[in-house]
Amino acid sequence: MARAEELAGCLEAVLGSRGNANRVFEILELLAGREEGEDEDVLCAARTCGRLFGALLERRELFVGALPAEEASLADNYSAEDKYKIWMRHRYKDCVDCLAELMGHESFQIKELSMCTLMKFVELEAQYPLIKVEWKGTLTFPRELLKVVVDGLLPLHEDAALLISRFQEFMEYDDIRYFVTKAVTESIGQVMQRTKERPLPFYQQNVFSLISPINMPNKESDMVKFMVKQDNWEELKVSKLQAHKQAFEKMWLSFLKHKLPTGLYKKVLVILHDSILPYMNEPTLMIDFLTVAYGIGGAISLLALNGLFILIHQHNLEYPDFYKKLYSLLDPSVYHVKYRARFFHLLDLFLSSSHLPAYLVAAFIKRLSRLALSAPPEALLMAIPFICNLLRRHPACRVLVHRPHGPQDISEDPYVMEEEEPSKSKALESCLWEIQSLQNHYHPDVVKAAAVLSQFLSEMEDDISGLLELSAYELFDKEVKKKATDVPLEFEQIRGLFGKKNDIFAEHFTLD
């Protein structure tokens, strides 16, 4: 309490008389927090600095323009007024440097207050610029000060997600969002260049945490919330949606051109189609990132193909190897991996067009059928209806079912499982003996599902959405909860030698 009263006295003295200006050092010394265990003093000093320099900015008592060196200002021909303003501007700079350093403090309370104080200075500098307006088009927004805040949000060696989530309220302002995207682009260029393309997990995760929640406006009329508007606002880029899109696109491309930690690829790909591609001027520039992501394998490869699929269908990207790459993802693991539901959901989407050539669809059907021979029951109950839907969607492939003298097992099958090119796999020359084999499966539900191919296929596709997430536990639980039904019996009365009832054996039961 005594410390707070002491700082309040310093604040009143400095603002009350320029003769007491040197007492600002008492506040800055506490702000530096050089003594251990003095967190409360640092918080008091930060609040005092916010009030002090906020008042000086509003009273325009800080030097405006390029700041001369402190020693030079004393020697050169400056008025007493200018000398005071230059000196106090240097103290303001010291305060900003301390607050920037405190954004890396171990106490979250100090980090938060330091960030909020700096953002208060950003708002005040935007209203009372320290940049000298030399011509009508001069931008007076304090970009350098905001860059200091952004750098504090993106430490190299610790997770700053909590502080970044606190900062998100400022990202609702269109001008703040615009200048943050430019500052992030600059930061990525500076930091990643020093690492020689080596991933920085904490830094890159922090960048993603900051930029992934960005909500871009859909049209220029949506851009109505600005922290500050200067006089010639409508003539500046920050008021134009096209400029916002360019900055947004450049930021994401600069972030994604560097190698990411493996887990981060998946996070980016999940939000790609909703939060990134719609707001880019040239979405096809993402092809390099998607190609690299595909090479990682597993779920990331699948998500990368989803991004490519969107570029092909919505942005006219030419990518002839798309289905070849998709075909190569079909391996024994697809029926066992935890992302099986997403895989088959997207596979259904990719194969939804009725204009796909028959040889291509037949290759997918054959490979899925072959892999089904080693799949668990819960996967088969989804895979068999999936294959039936493909046959309904592409009638030319029904030759795989209606081939009476086709191969009976793998030794006679002309289909080449190892062929990477679907057109050379000879799938259309084969038949679905694999599904016929599954009619002898140990699980009765699989037998019932596989038996559908021995009958006439209806035109209506099966809804497999409820089967995509089916697990072995659910399948077992379903069997356990089945109500036992009476075993069917055949009743036959036993009669005597001459057609009379036998009194000894009145009834005889045999199992059906």
Side-chain angles (χ1 to χ4, degrees):
M1 193 69 180
R3 185 71 78 183
E5 291 174 358
E6 181 185 335
L7 288 170
C10 287
L11 174 64
E12 188 176 347
V14 174
L15 292 177
S17 169
R18 292 185 177 182
N20 296 320
N22 277 331
R23 293 198 67 183
V24 73
F25 287 116
E26 297 177 37
I27 304 172
L28 292 176
E29 187 175 352
L30 278 177
L31 183 66
R34 292 183 176 87
E35 297 179 24
E36 293 294 329
E38 301 295 333
D39 287 1
E40 194 57 45
D41 291 347
V42 174
L43 290 169
C44 287
R47 295 188 194 101
T48 305
C49 281
R51 290 193 286 270
L52 171 62
F53 292 106
L56 292 173
L57 281 163
E58 289 175 348
R59 286 157 51 166
R60 300 181 183 273
E61 292 189 13
L62 298 180
F63 185 79
V64 176
L67 184 62
E70 197 167 355
E71 297 78 10
S73 67
L74 298 174
D76 291 343
N77 190 22
Y78 288 98
S79 65
E81 175 79 7
D82 282 345
K83 285 180 180 179
Y84 167 78
K85 289 184 176 181
I86 291 170
W87 184 87
M88 194 56 84
R89 172 88 179 269
H90 276 285
R91 304 292 74 77
Y92 173 60
K93 183 177 179 298
D94 293 340
C95 172
V96 168
D97 291 342
C98 277
L99 290 172
E101 189 176 339
L102 289 173
M103 282 186 70
H105 198 276
E106 60 185 20
S107 165
F108 178 75
Q109 199 175 0
I110 291 177
K111 288 179 181 179
E112 183 183 24
L113 182 60
S114 300
M115 181 196 72
C116 291
T117 304
L118 286 170
M119 288 307 295
K120 178 186 176 184
F121 290 160
V122 168
E123 182 177 6
L124 288 170
E125 276 197 45
Q127 292 175 342
Y128 310 101
L130 297 180
I131 299 169
K132 194 170 184 178
V133 179
E134 297 178 351
W135 58 289
K136 189 179 178 182
T138 301
L139 181 66
T140 57
F141 190 91
R143 288 174 294 178
E144 290 302 318
L145 180 56
L146 185 60
K147 175 70 164 52
V148 169
V149 178
V150 171
D151 288 342
L153 293 171
L154 304 175
L156 301 185
H157 304 297
E158 70 172 296
D159 183 2
L162 191 58
L163 189 62
I164 290 169
S165 67
R166 178 66 178 83
F167 180 76
Q168 290 301 331
E169 69 178 67
F170 298 105
M171 295 290 275
E172 295 177 8
Y173 294 100
D174 293 306
D175 48 351
I176 295 293
R177 185 186 62 245
Y178 175 73
F179 290 114
V180 165
T181 57
K182 296 181 82 68
V184 169
T185 304
E186 187 179 342
S187 171
I188 293 169
Q190 292 169 347
V191 172
M192 297 309 295
Q193 187 177 18
R194 294 199 300 266
T195 65
K196 302 187 185 303
E197 297 304 314
R198 179 171 46 86
L200 290 173
F202 282 116
Y203 174 76
Q204 288 171 302
Q205 178 59 55
N206 289 333
V207 172
F208 180 77
S209 299
L210 179 60
I211 67 179
S212 58
I214 289 179
N215 289 317
M216 287 289 287
N218 291 309
K219 49 187 185 293
E220 208 157 290
S221 57
D222 293 338
M223 294 168 54
V224 293
K225 191 174 182 181
F226 293 91
M227 182 174 274
V228 177
K229 289 185 179 181
Q230 63 185 77
D231 295 338
N232 57 334
W233 192 254
E234 294 179 355
E235 300 174 17
L236 300 175
K237 282 185 176 182
V238 69
S239 67
K240 308 295 181 186
L241 178 59
Q242 187 70 8
H244 282 248
K245 282 190 169 186
Q246 287 174 350
F248 180 82
E249 179 179 275
K250 188 175 181 182
M251 173 188 68
W252 273 107
L253 290 174
S254 66
F255 177 60
L256 298 178
K257 78 177 183 180
H258 301 286
K259 186 178 180 182
L260 303 177
T262 304
L264 209 48
Y265 277 100
K266 188 174 181 180
K267 292 180 181 179
V268 172
L269 290 166
V270 165
I271 67 168
L272 186 69
H273 62 290
D274 285 332
S275 304
I276 303 176
L277 292 179
Y279 306 106
M280 294 182 68
N281 289 323
E282 294 184 58
T284 52
L285 293 174
M286 279 290 183
I287 189 169
D288 289 339
F289 165 71
L290 292 170
T291 303
V292 170
Y294 169 80
I296 294 174
I300 294 174
S301 295
L302 179 66
L303 290 169
L305 285 182
N306 186 37
L308 287 169
F309 186 76
I310 292 168
L311 292 181
I312 291 168
H313 280 259
Q314 297 180 12
H315 303 285
N316 301 317
L317 174 71
E318 291 187 13
Y319 197 78
D321 286 340
F322 176 82
Y323 284 99
K324 180 181 176 181
K325 289 183 180 295
L326 178 61
Y327 186 68
S328 69
L329 293 181
L330 297 182
D331 59 34
S333 69
V334 296
Y335 288 124
H336 302 270
V337 290
K338 63 181 180 180
Y339 59 87
R340 183 183 70 209
R342 176 182 283 274
F343 182 93
F344 279 91
H345 169 74
L346 291 176
L347 187 60
D348 189 47
L349 174 67
F350 300 154
L351 298 175
S352 59
S353 173
S354 59
H355 299 292
L356 293 174
Y359 76 82
L360 180 66
V361 179
F364 277 92
I365 291 173
K366 273 298 293 184
R367 181 165 279 195
L368 287 170
S369 301
R370 183 68 60 82
L371 296 173
L373 294 174
S374 59
E378 64 273 15
L380 291 173
L381 291 176
M382 173 270 301
I384 295 172
F386 184 90
I387 291 169
C388 290
N389 283 348
L390 290 178
L391 291 169
R392 291 183 178 103
R393 205 176 295 163
H394 304 275
C397 293
R398 294 187 185 183
V399 67
L400 295 174
V401 180
H402 306 295
R403 179 167 277 141
H405 302 296
Q408 299 302 308
D409 57 37
I410 194 169
S411 63
E412 302 174 7
D413 198 343
Y415 171 67
V416 185
M417 180 75 171
E418 296 75 22
E419 176 56 56
E420 295 180 359
E421 184 62 59
S423 61
K424 298 177 181 178
S425 65
K426 299 182 180 179
L428 274 176
E429 300 173 23
S430 182
C431 71
L432 296 183
W433 60 265
E434 298 93 344
I435 305 300
Q436 190 173 1
S437 298
L438 292 175
Q439 292 176 2
N440 299 312
H441 198 274
Y442 69 86
H443 198 289
D445 288 351
V446 174
V447 173
K448 185 178 178 181
V452 172
L453 280 179
S454 298
Q455 305 162 11
F456 180 76
L457 274 178
S458 64
E459 294 298 321
M460 185 70 69
E461 290 190 14
D462 294 327
D463 181 12
I464 63 168
S465 57
L467 301 171
L468 291 175
E469 302 280 358
L470 187 65
S471 67
Y473 173 79
E474 290 171 329
L475 204 58
F476 182 81
D477 195 50
K478 177 184 172 185
E479 290 295 324
V480 169
K481 290 180 178 177
K482 270 186 179 178
K483 289 185 178 180
T485 57
D486 294 333
V487 178
L489 302 174
E490 184 179 328
F491 176 77
E492 183 184 349
Q493 283 188 331
I494 305 299
R495 297 184 178 276
L497 190 61
F498 299 104
K500 295 181 179 180
K501 290 184 179 179
N502 191 322
D503 293 330
I504 300 174
F505 301 101
E507 294 178 338
H508 173 62
F509 295 89
T510 57
L511 286 174
D512 188 4

